[in-house]
mmCIF file of all heavy atoms in Angstrom:
data_model
loop_
_atom_site.group_PDB
_atom_site.id
_atom_site.type_symbol
_atom_site.label_atom_id
_atom_site.label_comp_id
_atom_site.label_asym_id
_atom_site.label_seq_id
_atom_site.Cartn_x
_atom_site.Cartn_y
_atom_site.Cartn_z
ATOM 1 N N GLU Z 1 -78.021 11.409 0.883
ATOM 2 C CA GLU Z 1 -77.076 12.426 1.341
ATOM 3 C C GLU Z 1 -76.272 11.839 2.501
ATOM 4 O O GLU Z 1 -76.745 11.769 3.633
ATOM 5 C CB GLU Z 1 -77.813 13.699 1.772
ATOM 6 C CG GLU Z 1 -78.564 14.383 0.633
ATOM 7 C CD GLU Z 1 -79.224 15.680 1.072
ATOM 8 O OE1 GLU Z 1 -79.022 16.069 2.241
ATOM 9 O OE2 GLU Z 1 -79.942 16.273 0.263
ATOM 10 N N LEU Z 2 -75.059 11.423 2.192
ATOM 11 C CA LEU Z 2 -74.207 10.771 3.174
ATOM 12 C C LEU Z 2 -73.178 11.741 3.739
ATOM 13 O O LEU Z 2 -72.683 12.602 3.018
ATOM 14 C CB LEU Z 2 -73.468 9.590 2.537
ATOM 15 C CG LEU Z 2 -74.309 8.385 2.103
ATOM 16 C CD1 LEU Z 2 -73.468 7.439 1.266
ATOM 17 C CD2 LEU Z 2 -74.865 7.644 3.323
ATOM 18 N N PRO Z 3 -72.841 11.598 5.000
ATOM 19 C CA PRO Z 3 -71.718 12.360 5.552
ATOM 20 C C PRO Z 3 -70.400 11.780 5.034
ATOM 21 O O PRO Z 3 -70.407 10.852 4.216
ATOM 22 C CB PRO Z 3 -71.866 12.155 7.064
ATOM 23 C CG PRO Z 3 -72.567 10.839 7.188
ATOM 24 C CD PRO Z 3 -73.490 10.742 6.006
ATOM 25 N N ALA Z 4 -69.302 12.270 5.504
ATOM 26 C CA ALA Z 4 -67.983 11.838 5.031
ATOM 27 C C ALA Z 4 -67.605 10.506 5.678
ATOM 28 O O ALA Z 4 -66.689 10.434 6.516
ATOM 29 C CB ALA Z 4 -66.939 12.904 5.325
ATOM 30 N N ILE Z 5 -68.304 9.457 5.289
ATOM 31 C CA ILE Z 5 -68.040 8.130 5.843
ATOM 32 C C ILE Z 5 -67.131 7.344 4.909
ATOM 33 O O ILE Z 5 -66.927 7.697 3.746
ATOM 34 C CB ILE Z 5 -69.350 7.349 6.070
ATOM 35 C CG1 ILE Z 5 -70.104 7.149 4.744
ATOM 36 C CG2 ILE Z 5 -70.217 8.048 7.104
ATOM 37 C CD1 ILE Z 5 -71.299 6.212 4.848
ATOM 38 N N LYS Z 6 -66.598 6.238 5.453
ATOM 39 C CA LYS Z 6 -65.770 5.330 4.677
ATOM 40 C C LYS Z 6 -66.461 3.966 4.595
ATOM 41 O O LYS Z 6 -66.879 3.415 5.608
ATOM 42 C CB LYS Z 6 -64.395 5.173 5.314
ATOM 43 C CG LYS Z 6 -63.506 6.412 5.197
ATOM 44 C CD LYS Z 6 -62.118 6.153 5.778
ATOM 45 C CE LYS Z 6 -61.188 7.336 5.522
ATOM 46 N NZ LYS Z 6 -59.822 7.080 6.056
ATOM 47 N N ILE Z 7 -66.556 3.442 3.372
ATOM 48 C CA ILE Z 7 -67.243 2.177 3.110
ATOM 49 C C ILE Z 7 -66.238 1.198 2.524
ATOM 50 O O ILE Z 7 -65.582 1.494 1.517
ATOM 51 C CB ILE Z 7 -68.412 2.372 2.126
ATOM 52 C CG1 ILE Z 7 -69.396 3.423 2.646
ATOM 53 C CG2 ILE Z 7 -69.115 1.047 1.848
ATOM 54 C CD1 ILE Z 7 -70.428 3.859 1.623
ATOM 55 N N ALA Z 8 -66.103 0.039 3.133
ATOM 56 C CA ALA Z 8 -65.211 -1.008 2.623
ATOM 57 C C ALA Z 8 -66.042 -2.091 1.953
ATOM 58 O O ALA Z 8 -67.007 -2.592 2.532
ATOM 59 C CB ALA Z 8 -64.388 -1.608 3.757
ATOM 60 N N ILE Z 9 -65.663 -2.455 0.727
ATOM 61 C CA ILE Z 9 -66.337 -3.523 -0.017
ATOM 62 C C ILE Z 9 -65.333 -4.643 -0.236
ATOM 63 O O ILE Z 9 -64.258 -4.418 -0.798
ATOM 64 C CB ILE Z 9 -66.855 -3.030 -1.379
ATOM 65 C CG1 ILE Z 9 -67.881 -1.912 -1.196
ATOM 66 C CG2 ILE Z 9 -67.457 -4.178 -2.182
ATOM 67 C CD1 ILE Z 9 -68.356 -1.295 -2.509
ATOM 68 N N THR Z 10 -65.651 -5.859 0.227
ATOM 69 C CA THR Z 10 -64.755 -6.985 -0.002
ATOM 70 C C THR Z 10 -65.192 -7.769 -1.230
ATOM 71 O O THR Z 10 -66.380 -7.884 -1.518
ATOM 72 C CB THR Z 10 -64.726 -7.937 1.208
ATOM 73 O OG1 THR Z 10 -66.033 -8.484 1.424
ATOM 74 C CG2 THR Z 10 -64.254 -7.207 2.462
ATOM 75 N N GLY Z 11 -64.209 -8.313 -1.938
ATOM 76 C CA GLY Z 11 -64.491 -9.136 -3.111
ATOM 77 C C GLY Z 11 -64.097 -8.464 -4.401
ATOM 78 O O GLY Z 11 -63.939 -7.239 -4.467
ATOM 79 N N GLY Z 12 -63.952 -9.277 -5.437
ATOM 80 C CA GLY Z 12 -63.582 -8.751 -6.739
ATOM 81 C C GLY Z 12 -64.417 -9.314 -7.867
ATOM 82 O O GLY Z 12 -64.142 -9.053 -9.037
ATOM 83 N N GLY Z 13 -65.447 -10.083 -7.532
ATOM 84 C CA GLY Z 13 -66.264 -10.729 -8.545
ATOM 85 C C GLY Z 13 -67.541 -9.978 -8.854
ATOM 86 O O GLY Z 13 -67.640 -8.760 -8.678
ATOM 87 N N ARG Z 14 -68.544 -10.709 -9.299
ATOM 88 C CA ARG Z 14 -69.806 -10.109 -9.733
ATOM 89 C C ARG Z 14 -70.486 -9.342 -8.601
ATOM 90 O O ARG Z 14 -71.056 -8.278 -8.819
ATOM 91 C CB ARG Z 14 -70.764 -11.190 -10.234
ATOM 92 C CG ARG Z 14 -70.277 -12.003 -11.420
ATOM 93 C CD ARG Z 14 -71.320 -13.064 -11.733
ATOM 94 N NE ARG Z 14 -70.814 -14.085 -12.647
ATOM 95 C CZ ARG Z 14 -71.465 -14.491 -13.729
ATOM 96 N NH1 ARG Z 14 -72.615 -13.939 -14.037
ATOM 97 N NH2 ARG Z 14 -70.972 -15.437 -14.497
ATOM 98 N N VAL Z 15 -70.451 -9.911 -7.399
ATOM 99 C CA VAL Z 15 -71.128 -9.269 -6.267
ATOM 100 C C VAL Z 15 -70.500 -7.915 -5.975
ATOM 101 O O VAL Z 15 -71.194 -6.895 -5.860
ATOM 102 C CB VAL Z 15 -71.078 -10.167 -5.021
ATOM 103 C CG1 VAL Z 15 -71.632 -9.426 -3.806
ATOM 104 C CG2 VAL Z 15 -71.864 -11.454 -5.249
ATOM 105 N N ALA Z 16 -69.180 -7.890 -5.851
ATOM 106 C CA ALA Z 16 -68.486 -6.635 -5.550
ATOM 107 C C ALA Z 16 -68.688 -5.617 -6.664
ATOM 108 O O ALA Z 16 -68.896 -4.421 -6.405
ATOM 109 C CB ALA Z 16 -66.997 -6.891 -5.332
ATOM 110 N N LYS Z 17 -68.643 -6.068 -7.904
ATOM 111 C CA LYS Z 17 -68.834 -5.145 -9.027
ATOM 112 C C LYS Z 17 -70.255 -4.581 -9.039
ATOM 113 O O LYS Z 17 -70.463 -3.414 -9.381
ATOM 114 C CB LYS Z 17 -68.506 -5.848 -10.340
ATOM 115 C CG LYS Z 17 -67.013 -6.148 -10.497
ATOM 116 C CD LYS Z 17 -66.721 -6.976 -11.729
ATOM 117 C CE LYS Z 17 -65.229 -7.284 -11.825
ATOM 118 N NZ LYS Z 17 -64.903 -8.197 -12.949
ATOM 119 N N GLY Z 18 -71.227 -5.416 -8.673
ATOM 120 C CA GLY Z 18 -72.596 -4.919 -8.558
ATOM 121 C C GLY Z 18 -72.714 -3.872 -7.468
ATOM 122 O O GLY Z 18 -73.377 -2.841 -7.649
ATOM 123 N N ALA Z 19 -72.063 -4.115 -6.327
ATOM 124 C CA ALA Z 19 -72.084 -3.138 -5.239
ATOM 125 C C ALA Z 19 -71.425 -1.835 -5.667
ATOM 126 O O ALA Z 19 -71.897 -0.737 -5.329
ATOM 127 C CB ALA Z 19 -71.375 -3.716 -4.017
ATOM 128 N N MET Z 20 -70.354 -1.936 -6.437
ATOM 129 C CA MET Z 20 -69.647 -0.742 -6.892
ATOM 130 C C MET Z 20 -70.495 0.071 -7.859
ATOM 131 O O MET Z 20 -70.385 1.295 -7.915
ATOM 132 C CB MET Z 20 -68.312 -1.140 -7.511
ATOM 133 C CG MET Z 20 -67.307 -1.670 -6.477
ATOM 134 S SD MET Z 20 -65.905 -2.563 -7.195
ATOM 135 C CE MET Z 20 -65.073 -1.239 -8.071
ATOM 136 N N GLU Z 21 -71.371 -0.591 -8.618
ATOM 137 C CA GLU Z 21 -72.290 0.138 -9.499
ATOM 138 C C GLU Z 21 -73.130 1.126 -8.693
ATOM 139 O O GLU Z 21 -73.389 2.255 -9.132
ATOM 140 C CB GLU Z 21 -73.224 -0.832 -10.230
ATOM 141 C CG GLU Z 21 -72.618 -1.566 -11.405
ATOM 142 C CD GLU Z 21 -73.677 -2.378 -12.144
ATOM 143 O OE1 GLU Z 21 -74.749 -1.813 -12.451
ATOM 144 O OE2 GLU Z 21 -73.434 -3.573 -12.391
ATOM 145 N N VAL Z 22 -73.567 0.684 -7.520
ATOM 146 C CA VAL Z 22 -74.381 1.546 -6.666
ATOM 147 C C VAL Z 22 -73.537 2.693 -6.118
ATOM 148 O O VAL Z 22 -73.978 3.848 -6.065
ATOM 149 C CB VAL Z 22 -75.013 0.732 -5.522
ATOM 150 C CG1 VAL Z 22 -75.755 1.640 -4.550
ATOM 151 C CG2 VAL Z 22 -75.964 -0.318 -6.089
ATOM 152 N N MET Z 23 -72.311 2.400 -5.717
ATOM 153 C CA MET Z 23 -71.423 3.452 -5.211
ATOM 154 C C MET Z 23 -71.217 4.530 -6.276
ATOM 155 O O MET Z 23 -71.327 5.731 -5.995
ATOM 156 C CB MET Z 23 -70.072 2.857 -4.809
ATOM 157 C CG MET Z 23 -70.108 1.788 -3.718
ATOM 158 S SD MET Z 23 -70.636 2.371 -2.097
ATOM 159 C CE MET Z 23 -72.298 1.691 -2.042
ATOM 160 N N TYR Z 24 -70.922 4.103 -7.480
ATOM 161 C CA TYR Z 24 -70.732 5.071 -8.573
ATOM 162 C C TYR Z 24 -72.012 5.859 -8.828
ATOM 163 O O TYR Z 24 -71.989 7.085 -9.026
ATOM 164 C CB TYR Z 24 -70.324 4.353 -9.862
ATOM 165 C CG TYR Z 24 -69.001 3.633 -9.808
ATOM 166 C CD1 TYR Z 24 -68.834 2.399 -10.433
ATOM 167 C CD2 TYR Z 24 -67.908 4.161 -9.121
ATOM 168 C CE1 TYR Z 24 -67.626 1.717 -10.390
ATOM 169 C CE2 TYR Z 24 -66.689 3.480 -9.070
ATOM 170 C CZ TYR Z 24 -66.561 2.259 -9.709
ATOM 171 O OH TYR Z 24 -65.367 1.589 -9.659
ATOM 172 N N GLY Z 25 -73.149 5.158 -8.824
ATOM 173 C CA GLY Z 25 -74.423 5.815 -9.097
ATOM 174 C C GLY Z 25 -74.786 6.851 -8.053
ATOM 175 O O GLY Z 25 -75.472 7.834 -8.363
ATOM 176 N N MET Z 26 -74.323 6.644 -6.818
ATOM 177 C CA MET Z 26 -74.588 7.599 -5.734
ATOM 178 C C MET Z 26 -73.465 8.624 -5.588
ATOM 179 O O MET Z 26 -73.441 9.384 -4.619
ATOM 180 C CB MET Z 26 -74.798 6.851 -4.416
ATOM 181 C CG MET Z 26 -76.051 6.002 -4.403
ATOM 182 S SD MET Z 26 -76.271 5.145 -2.806
ATOM 183 C CE MET Z 26 -77.847 4.331 -3.078
#
């Protein structure tokens, strides 16, 4: 349960896409 925060993810490769999977899942 996150407050209204802003998260910046750098990169466009496998690492960034993996991180984005978690963002979508949450």
Side-chain angles (χ1 to χ4, degrees):
E1 296 183 4
L2 293 169
I5 61 171
K6 289 184 174 181
I7 304 169
I9 299 175
T10 62
R14 299 177 193 229
V15 173
K17 291 174 182 175
M20 291 164 66
E21 282 186 49
V22 175
M23 300 294 105
Y24 296 141
M26 294 181 177

